Amino acid sequence: MKKYHLFLFFSALLSGLVSCSSDDDASGSDRGTARVAVELTDAPGDYKHVYVEVEDVMIKTTNEGNDEEGWTSLEGVNTGVIDLLSLTGGVTELLVDTEIEAGYLHQIRLILGGDNSVVVMNGDVEQEFTLKTPSGQQSGLKVMVGQELEANAEYTFILDFDVDQSVKSTSADGYNLHPVIRMAVEENSGSIVGSVHPTTEQALIKVQNATVNASAYTDANGKFEVHGLPAGTYKVTAVPAEGSGLNSAVVNNVEVEQGETVPLDPMFLDGE
């Protein structure tokens, strides 16, 4: 599976399907359709599993009227329970891939269920807690898009959960989901890929500049991919696992351009 990003923080997200008709139809003109895919991915978090239940993906094509008006569901949404922590290191989960009427896309909204959303803690004894998503169940998690979709074009929107920031412990030994998400449009962003050595320990990769904080884990071969980065200059840090006795490695001034993938030289974690 692939992964991409473009970034926008928020605390709510997604809804709707656009009809393929328009006011222009009466005059015999047709704006055509655009293909839209919505994918879910995850920034790392200090949990064993974070399961969320996806019930619907919706869109809104106007910024007029009440915020709760004008939402429609996209066709063919892949509903079900997803482990966010399985979506790291360049992996995404396809939520929907469909055609909608070309034109202005105002917002996307993700509707989450609550019955099957849980957090599983790290540790010798597996502990499972209900993950409450009050805003996700009621009004959905909304992401501002504000983009004109051209006819016959394809767009991939990536919703990147920051688990550490999104999952909050409550006083009653429970957990609430208050999503902090980066949104990436594949076509408008670039990527950084590389590898970390030694590969015996999983490393956390942080990609940062003044406006973007992205992260991913290395895979079993020490490789990493961070997608959906707006054009700019970044600092890349490889952070070893705690207690490994290794030091972080840093690469400064990594230039990313729109539509480009930047390969880094191998990053080596030296011992103390």
Side-chain angles (χ1 to χ4, degrees):
M1 299 173 75
K2 54 185 182 176
K3 171 180 177 184
Y4 323 83
H5 321 74
L6 184 191
F7 308 106
L8 236 276
F9 281 94
F10 71 86
S11 56
L13 138 97
L14 274 102
S15 155
L17 168 77
V18 184
S19 127
C20 289
S21 62
S22 72
D23 292 340
D24 293 337
D25 291 342
S27 61
S29 63
D30 188 349
R31 288 189 293 182
T33 61
R35 190 152 200 95
V36 169
V38 179
E39 297 182 347
L40 189 65
T41 190
D42 170 52
D46 190 22
Y47 304 94
K48 187 173 183 179
H49 303 286
V50 176
Y51 296 103
V52 295
E53 183 177 14
V54 176
E55 294 188 341
D56 200 3
V57 177
M58 310 177 80
I59 60 171
K60 185 174 183 179
T61 58
T62 177
N63 57 4
E64 299 177 356
N66 188 289
D67 189 50
E68 296 307 312
E69 297 175 348
W71 291 97
T72 52
S73 295
L74 289 170
E75 292 182 339
V77 175
N78 297 315
T79 60
V81 177
I82 299 170
D83 181 6
L84 293 178
L85 293 185
S86 69
L87 306 178
T88 60
V91 177
T92 62
E93 180 79 18
L94 179 65
L95 299 182
V96 64
D97 185 356
T98 190
E99 288 190 357
I100 67 173
E101 183 181 1
Y104 183 71
L105 178 57
H106 180 49
Q107 292 184 73
I108 297 174
R109 171 186 272 179
L110 178 65
I111 305 297
L112 299 179
D115 294 341
N116 296 304
S117 296
V118 298
V119 174
V120 180
M121 307 302 294
N122 281 321
D124 296 333
V125 178
E126 188 169 293
Q127 293 180 292
E128 183 176 299
F129 301 92
T130 298
L131 178 61
K132 299 178 181 178
T133 57
S135 62
Q137 294 173 60
Q138 297 168 20
S139 63
L141 311 174
K142 302 170 192 172
V143 177
M144 186 65 65
V145 178
Q147 180 167 334
E148 195 73 24
L149 305 184
E150 297 181 2
N152 303 316
E154 297 183 359
Y155 301 86
T156 301
F157 296 93
I158 306 298
L159 307 176
D160 188 356
F161 267 84
D162 186 329
V163 165
D164 270 343
Q165 296 296 319
S166 300
V167 178
K168 302 295 184 182
S169 176
T170 68
S171 58
D173 291 330
Y175 290 84
N176 288 340
L177 181 65
H178 298 285
V180 175
I181 297 180
R182 299 184 308 156
M183 188 188 74
V185 179
E186 176 188 357
E187 294 72 18
N188 298 339
S189 60
S191 305
I192 296 175
V193 300
S195 62
V196 176
H197 301 273
T199 61
T200 52
E201 298 285 346
Q202 190 175 53
L204 172 64
I205 306 300
K206 297 181 178 180
V207 178
Q208 301 167 307
N209 64 14
T211 58
V212 175
N213 284 280
S215 58
Y217 279 124
T218 55
D219 64 15
N221 297 313
K223 297 180 180 180
F224 66 87
E225 303 175 12
V226 182
H227 302 286
L229 299 169
T233 304
Y234 293 88
K235 174 183 177 180
V236 180
T237 305
V239 182
E242 186 175 352
S244 66
L246 300 173
N247 294 315
S248 298
V250 177
V251 179
N252 291 306
N253 301 318
V254 179
E255 296 286 344
V256 174
E257 297 183 3
Q258 180 176 319
E260 298 295 326
T261 296
V262 180
L264 298 184
D265 291 334
M267 302 176 71
F268 293 90
L269 306 177
D270 297 327
E272 296 179 350

